[in-house]
Amino acid sequence: MSEETKEKEETNKESSENKADKNKKNLENWLRDKYNLGLVGILVLASIIRLYFYFIAKDQAHWWDSLAFGSLAKNMISHIWDNSPFIANEAIIRPPLLGLVWSFLLRINFSDAASLFFLEIIPSILSILFIYLLAKEIYNKKVALISSFILSVLWIHLFYTTRIMSDVPSLFFTLASLYFFVKSYDDFKLKFFSLAIFFVSLAILTRYFYGFIGVVYIVMVIAKHKHKFISNKNFWIGGILGAIPIIIFFAYNLVVYKGLLPAASVYSASAAEKPSFAYYVLGFIQYDLQWIFVICLALGTILVVFELALGYDSIFKMKKLSSHLMLLLIGVGSLIFFIFILRAAEDRYLFLLMPSLIIFSAIGIEFVYNYSNKYNKILAIILVVIILLLGAYYHLSYGNLIIENKKTSYMQMKEAFLWINKNTPQNAVILGDGIDPYVIYYGERNYLASNSSILDQNIKDSDYVVLHGFEHQTPELINYVTNNSNKFAPAYSNFFDPANQQPAVVIYKIKK
């Protein structure tokens, strides 16, 4: 080895060592900030909580919505059920991203437990990081730390983290999008603005009504920049680059369905059938947050509205006030959408306004701290700790209760259709009511949905018939099997009770 080569190696070694020392020193300096150390602690706590519930729930049965996405994922691989009315309908009304990613995981042999970890646990933890980054960017580290703690223990976030559904991933995409939007709001910095649009595109492709976040962006941009954004090249370049997933999706819909968003007509028709406005949605706020955080939310919202009223002529000159407005638009606008336009919602739909609910609650808690701190700093700290610990106790207790209670729900359906998967010929046709996603995802068989007017023909065209004690089971099929018992041979059964007195699922082989 030449002297020159030795000298280069020594120089590279010294450079690597210096870089490592520098990185170590930077990390030490970063951790000296109490808020950064607090964030690490919250992320560790959040990870432990989620892993605890993950191991409780990882083998549970999928619910209908989960199975719908899973069925779409399996059909993307095999295309066995392309002609199934269930798949045709679900492909229209379900956003494609979750099913698409799930299908990739299935291709590389991810189990249900591994898919749950990738699709839900990881986005759930990342959401806590991004709500901290968002709140720190628009307010301060104190509000950011409180916000991340609230989300780390929020029962509804924990519950849906244990199920493969679209709510947790869409919240993560939204929080990431909001963070990058706030960073690019003043000058449309290309990198950040394109990321903001990219992540909101992913949110929309995970859950369609997150398009409302895009509407808020448009309102905020027009309100601040007036017409000037039209001549800003970064707005157009970043917007187009970030919207590539949406553009591809719309192009696909135009080719296949001859429309940009065929799901819109389905949802519009459904909303039109609702007899009245969905005022019950307001009750979900208390249900999702529980009473102690609701009080903090009310206080924080009052402060936000008060500050906006006082500084109405400076809203777009002050980052804090414009952020107030953005979060208020998301919160109030989402409620208007669910109550008066969609006219329907479930508790999990409020994930759309969760950034507003959580950060406004944190603002309320910060106010308690700041007001108490005027008199006694120790008292202020104690009050905040009590609020957070009480909130954590309520949420973790309820989260544990509901996750434990629901971990066995629909397990009989899962077990029955796994039996079908292992014990029936691959070309077998299964007949039943409300079995569509179960027979596709777990059973991996072709099937027929029973039709009371042609049951004789249904029986001739099928090999097995499934009766169950869950929703969508019609009495007509039960009566037919009961009245024609000579045509059927019992093949499998399971029960709701340990004494085997209450049948849950019964599978009959059809005698040919």
Side-chain angles (χ1 to χ4, degrees), residues 46-66:
S47 300
I48 292 171
I49 293 170
R50 279 152 181 77
L51 287 173
Y52 170 77
F53 287 124
Y54 168 75
F55 285 110
I56 289 175
K58 64 184 178 68
D59 296 320
Q60 66 192 350
H62 293 299
W63 284 359
W64 186 277
D65 284 358
S66 299

Side-chain angles (χ1 to χ4, degrees), residues 413-487:
M413 292 289 275
K414 174 183 178 180
E415 291 171 350
F417 285 93
L418 286 176
W419 182 89
I420 285 174
N421 185 297
K422 295 176 182 177
N423 295 278
T424 65
Q426 287 193 342
N427 63 348
V429 178
I430 315 300
L431 175 67
D433 293 319
I435 65 170
D436 313 55
Y438 295 98
V439 74
I440 293 173
Y441 187 78
Y442 289 127
E444 297 182 346
R445 296 292 184 269
N446 276 313
Y447 71 98
L448 284 176
S450 72
N451 185 328
S452 59
S453 62
I454 53 169
L455 272 178
D456 283 320
Q457 187 61 46
N458 285 162
I459 297 300
K460 289 180 182 179
D461 295 337
S462 305
D463 300 294
Y464 293 84
V465 62
V466 176
L467 302 180
H468 58 82
F470 296 90
E471 59 266 29
H472 309 305
Q473 176 65 66
T474 64
E476 289 83 4
L477 185 59
I478 295 175
N479 292 335
Y480 186 96
V481 173
T482 302
N483 296 330
N484 297 274
S485 57
N486 60 308
K487 295 182 180 180

Side-chain angles (χ1 to χ4, degrees), residues 73-126:
K74 286 207 169 182
N75 192 58
M76 289 176 192
I77 298 171
S78 66
H79 295 284
I80 292 173
W81 303 277
D82 281 344
N83 296 324
S84 157
F86 174 80
I87 289 294
N89 180 68
E90 295 297 315
I92 291 175
I93 66 173
R94 303 279 178 184
L97 187 58
L98 181 59
L100 190 62
V101 177
W102 198 349
S103 72
F104 171 77
L105 298 179
L106 290 172
R107 289 176 195 273
I108 58 176
N109 296 319
F110 266 45
S111 65
D112 272 2
S115 297
L116 173 64
F117 190 88
F118 184 85
L119 294 170
E120 303 293 335
I121 300 294
I122 292 175
S124 181
I125 295 170
L126 288 175

Side-chain angles (χ1 to χ4, degrees), residues 122-409:
I122 292 175
S124 181
I125 295 170
L126 288 175
S127 294
I128 294 160
L129 171 63
F130 271 96
I131 202 167
Y132 175 88
L133 295 174
L134 172 63
K136 185 186 76 168
E137 185 69 27
I138 59 181
Y139 295 116
N140 56 60
K141 291 181 179 179
K142 195 179 299 177
V143 171
L145 206 60
I146 295 170
S147 299
S148 61
F149 180 84
I150 292 173
L151 185 56
S152 73
V153 299
L154 202 69
W155 79 263
I156 193 164
H157 196 236
L158 293 171
F159 180 77
Y160 286 104
T161 293
T162 63
R163 294 192 173 274
I164 301 180
M165 295 176 72
S166 59
D167 307 282
V168 169
S170 56
L171 176 60
F172 159 60
F173 293 140
T174 299
L175 289 169
S177 175
L178 287 169
Y179 169 67
F180 290 117
F181 178 76
V182 169
K183 288 184 73 69
S184 62
Y185 179 52
D186 289 331
D187 55 6
F188 298 116
K189 190 171 182 179
L190 185 58
K191 179 175 71 173
F192 294 137
F193 187 66
S194 59
L195 283 171
I197 304 305
F198 175 73
F199 277 110
V200 81
S201 296
L202 297 185
I204 295 167
L205 294 179
T206 307
R207 199 140 179 79
Y208 287 138
F209 58 65
Y210 279 77
F212 180 73
I213 301 296
V215 174
V216 172
Y217 288 172
I218 293 171
V219 171
M220 293 296 294
V221 166
I222 293 174
K224 179 177 176 63
H225 297 279
K226 305 297 188 290
H227 64 281
K228 295 179 182 178
F229 74 92
I230 297 175
S231 59
N232 189 306
K233 65 179 182 179
N234 281 0
F235 172 82
W236 294 105
I237 295 172
I240 292 171
L241 287 175
I244 285 175
I246 289 285
I247 294 171
I248 294 172
F249 173 65
F250 283 158
Y252 174 84
N253 282 344
L254 280 173
V255 171
V256 176
Y257 299 110
K258 312 304 179 186
L260 290 176
L261 188 62
S265 59
V266 178
Y267 291 127
S268 297
S270 176
E273 293 173 359
K274 301 293 188 299
S276 60
F277 298 130
Y279 293 110
Y280 63 84
V281 172
L282 295 171
F284 290 143
I285 296 176
Q286 189 279 330
Y287 182 58
D288 288 358
L289 291 184
Q290 300 295 302
W291 69 269
I292 193 160
F293 288 150
V294 168
I295 294 172
C296 299
L297 169 65
L299 179 58
T301 304
I302 291 169
L303 289 169
V304 164
V305 173
F306 181 70
E307 290 178 359
L308 281 172
L310 284 181
Y312 71 94
D313 56 345
S314 303
I315 289 177
F316 297 104
K317 298 175 184 176
M318 297 175 62
K319 191 171 191 176
K320 180 180 180 180
L321 293 180
S322 61
S323 299
H324 278 353
L325 178 62
M326 181 184 73
L327 292 176
L328 199 62
L329 286 174
I330 292 173
V332 175
S334 298
L335 289 174
I336 291 172
F337 172 75
F338 291 132
I339 294 171
F340 298 107
I341 300 175
L342 192 60
R343 298 186 185 184
E346 299 175 20
D347 52 11
R348 60 194 176 93
Y349 287 21
L350 266 60
F351 275 51
L352 176 60
L353 55 154
M354 203 60 76
S356 306
L357 298 180
I358 291 174
I359 293 176
F360 284 177
S361 299
I363 290 173
I365 295 172
E366 185 199 32
F367 175 80
V368 172
Y369 174 84
N370 291 339
Y371 184 80
S372 304
N373 193 40
K374 294 177 183 178
Y375 302 97
N376 188 297
K377 184 172 184 178
I378 295 176
L379 174 63
I381 293 172
I382 290 173
L383 282 174
V384 169
V385 169
I386 289 173
I387 291 170
L388 293 178
L389 288 181
L390 277 175
Y393 173 77
Y394 282 115
H395 280 274
L396 292 177
S397 297
Y398 187 65
N400 183 70
L401 176 67
I402 193 170
I403 290 170
E404 285 280 3
N405 286 345
K406 299 297 184 181
K407 70 180 181 181
T408 58
S409 58

